[in-house]
Amino acid sequence: MTLHNLMARIFCLISLLILSLGFNPCTAFSWKNASMVEGGIQGCRPSPHPFSLCKSEAEAFGYPCEDHKVTTEDGYILSLKRIPHGPSDGDNSTDDENTRPPVLLFHGLMVDGISWLLGTPKQSLGFILAYWDWSWDEIAAYDLPAVLQFVYDYTGGQKVHYIGHSLGTLIILAAFSEHKLLHLVRSAALLCPIAYLDKTRSKLSRVASQIFLAETTHFLGWHEFNPFGLVAREVLLLVCGNPQVDCRDVFSALAGPDCCLNTTTTCAFLQHAIQSTSVRNLVHLSQMVRRKGIRRYDYGNVKANMKHYNQTRPPLYNLSSIPTHVPMLLMHGGQDFLGDVPDTRHLLKTLVRNHEKDNIEVIYVPDYAHADFVTGFNAPQLVYKPMVNFFQRH
């Protein structure tokens, strides 16, 4: 039995009814010049419970929080957190939990489940509703089915409203394209949908892909990519030496200039992110940047591809084969460098062309970049409210 790094593959399970809280606007804050210092984040107080999502975020605001473990078919142990209802003194705490449709939140790359709980209860969607030989292929094939099945069984056979951000959108699209998990999912909301990456605006990602940086790291025997480790430092030195990449603000160079973050949320984010991922996962994403289409992981030689796929090239995920009746909400931003507008439009053309009109919606937020959809101070109005309305219609 092997154990995934729980900070890299951790998932939140929550109840839909906690998505009805209000919104309290805060002042905007930029990630620019926010820096790491020894012993913590400059300008940010250390978390009293840095490794416990339940204690540091949910229970601190009076929300009940449950820990669950799910073992995947390939032997990985996943950690799930469940918020069954609002604060214990709230009006909804005595409602029958089985009457509430379950919602599964899947985070993006190099963050963990706490990204859904970084703000106050009125700001966070989570309140309002070390083995490294894997890529997102395995997350789609093993982690996602195991988690969804667990939620389905735990809630008495209720189909799940799925919410994915960034990489969390790619894995559900991959599963849907193979007609998998349809019996478990009631609808899907995709924030910053990641599918096609060949036109990405992220110069940092493009340069790293062009010089085969992830592949070189993997070849040298590294399997875990720790963003604060020695390998990451060497990687940044190489990439930032390219005049195309402005490393004065690494977050913006990677994912785009977020418009709507505040100091408190940003500090909470920096205390828990960025998390490790597998080098092989970065190799897979780099392959997607260099090539058109969405394929399984390329092992780099004919023999290995034949062994795994019985063909010389990795098979395609055919997104046009996603069933047209699946209710999907896609939300993307004009300043997002990862889920950039040209690549997202390619995805939308693939999906919307034949999809049932009543079962697909698209919302475009011109000023939003990648992190704004999860941590933006005005996300409750621009993102979460229409999302909840979408769930209520489906």
Side-chain angles (χ1 to χ4, degrees):
M1 183 68 65
T2 55
L3 178 67
H4 274 290
N5 182 303
L6 296 183
M7 297 172 68
R9 296 177 75 176
I10 183 173
F11 313 96
C12 288
L13 162 62
I14 67 169
S15 166
L16 177 62
L17 290 192
I18 64 175
L19 297 177
S20 60
L21 296 177
F23 163 64
N24 184 19
C26 299
T27 56
F29 177 80
S30 172
W31 273 345
K32 191 178 289 293
N33 297 326
S35 60
M36 297 291 297
V37 295
E38 186 174 355
I41 313 298
Q42 183 176 346
C44 301
R45 291 181 298 176
S47 170
H49 305 284
F51 302 111
S52 174
L53 183 153
C54 280
K55 288 186 179 296
S56 65
E57 303 300 327
E59 293 176 4
F61 288 107
Y63 284 76
C65 189
E66 304 171 359
D67 287 291
H68 296 275
K69 295 291 189 294
V70 176
T71 301
T72 67
E73 183 181 339
D74 58 341
Y76 288 92
I77 301 172
L78 309 180
S79 174
L80 286 83
K81 312 297 180 184
R82 179 176 187 253
I83 300 175
H85 53 74
S88 56
D89 58 348
D91 293 336
N92 62 353
S93 62
T94 59
D95 291 347
D96 182 3
E97 294 177 15
N98 290 330
T99 65
R100 303 174 183 175
V103 179
L104 176 67
L105 284 75
F106 234 99
H107 58 78
L109 178 67
M110 287 186 170
V111 294
D112 62 17
I114 206 167
S115 61
W116 300 106
L117 303 173
L118 289 175
T120 68
K122 293 185 178 181
Q123 293 174 307
S124 301
L125 180 59
F127 289 127
I128 299 174
L129 290 165
Y131 176 67
W132 298 99
D133 189 23
W134 50 269
S135 82
W136 61 263
D137 276 338
E138 282 71 34
I139 301 178
Y142 299 110
D143 293 25
L144 187 56
V147 172
L148 280 170
Q149 188 66 55
F150 175 87
V151 177
Y152 180 85
D153 294 341
Y154 192 88
T155 57
Q158 293 191 76
K159 297 180 74 171
V160 179
H161 291 298
Y162 179 87
I163 302 171
H165 175 249
S166 189
L167 192 73
T169 68
L170 177 58
I171 57 175
I172 195 72
L173 288 171
F176 283 168
S177 73
E178 297 180 337
H179 293 203
K180 297 177 179 177
L181 308 182
L182 299 172
H183 63 295
L184 300 175
V185 177
R186 183 168 173 176
S187 70
L190 310 182
L191 310 181
C192 309
I194 296 293
Y196 304 100
L197 290 175
D198 56 286
K199 294 182 176 63
T200 180
R201 289 176 61 191
S202 175
K203 292 182 179 179
L204 191 155
S205 299
R206 185 169 293 282
V207 168
S209 173
Q210 289 170 344
I211 64 175
F212 292 83
L213 198 53
E215 285 84 350
T216 301
T217 303
H218 194 262
F219 176 78
L220 292 175
W222 294 93
H223 298 284
E224 175 189 357
F225 183 82
N226 178 352
F228 301 114
L230 177 62
V231 174
R233 294 176 187 176
E234 296 298 324
V235 165
L236 281 178
L237 284 175
L238 283 171
V239 175
C240 293
N242 189 298
Q244 298 180 50
V245 182
D246 182 3
C247 285
R248 291 175 297 176
D249 184 359
V250 175
F251 291 109
S252 293
L254 175 66
D258 295 291
C259 68
C260 304
L261 308 185
N262 64 63
T263 305
T264 302
T265 302
T266 302
C267 284
F269 174 84
L270 292 174
Q271 286 171 342
H272 296 277
I274 301 174
Q275 305 293 352
S276 297
T277 189
S278 76
V279 174
R280 180 173 151 185
N281 197 31
L282 298 181
V283 171
H284 195 176
L285 293 169
S286 294
Q287 292 171 355
M288 295 171 64
V289 172
R290 292 192 301 269
R291 307 166 186 172
K292 294 184 178 181
I294 308 166
R295 292 184 179 272
R296 292 183 181 272
Y297 179 81
D298 191 339
Y299 286 88
N301 63 79
V302 171
K303 184 177 180 180
N305 284 338
M306 286 294 296
K307 176 182 177 181
H308 288 88
Y309 309 124
N310 200 31
Q311 59 186 63
T312 58
R313 296 186 67 194
L316 279 166
Y317 288 103
N318 182 11
L319 301 191
S320 63
S321 69
I322 293 177
T324 60
H325 69 275
V326 179
M328 289 194 292
L329 170 66
L330 297 94
M331 309 181 79
H332 66 115
Q335 299 302 314
D336 189 347
F337 285 5
L338 291 176
D340 60 284
V341 172
D343 282 326
T344 303
R345 284 178 176 170
H346 186 183
L347 172 64
L348 294 177
K349 288 180 181 178
T350 303
L351 296 178
V352 175
R353 183 182 301 134
N354 298 315
H355 214 85
E356 295 178 6
K357 293 183 179 180
D358 292 339
N359 285 323
I360 193 163
E361 295 183 29
V362 178
I363 295 178
Y364 174 65
V365 187
D367 295 333
Y368 264 28
H370 207 66
D372 288 313
F373 283 88
V374 175
T375 56
F377 66 82
N378 52 359
Q381 292 175 324
L382 299 181
V383 179
Y384 306 157
K385 184 177 180 179
M387 183 191 300
V388 173
N389 290 338
F390 175 80
F391 287 158
Q392 290 173 340
R393 291 195 298 272
H394 296 280

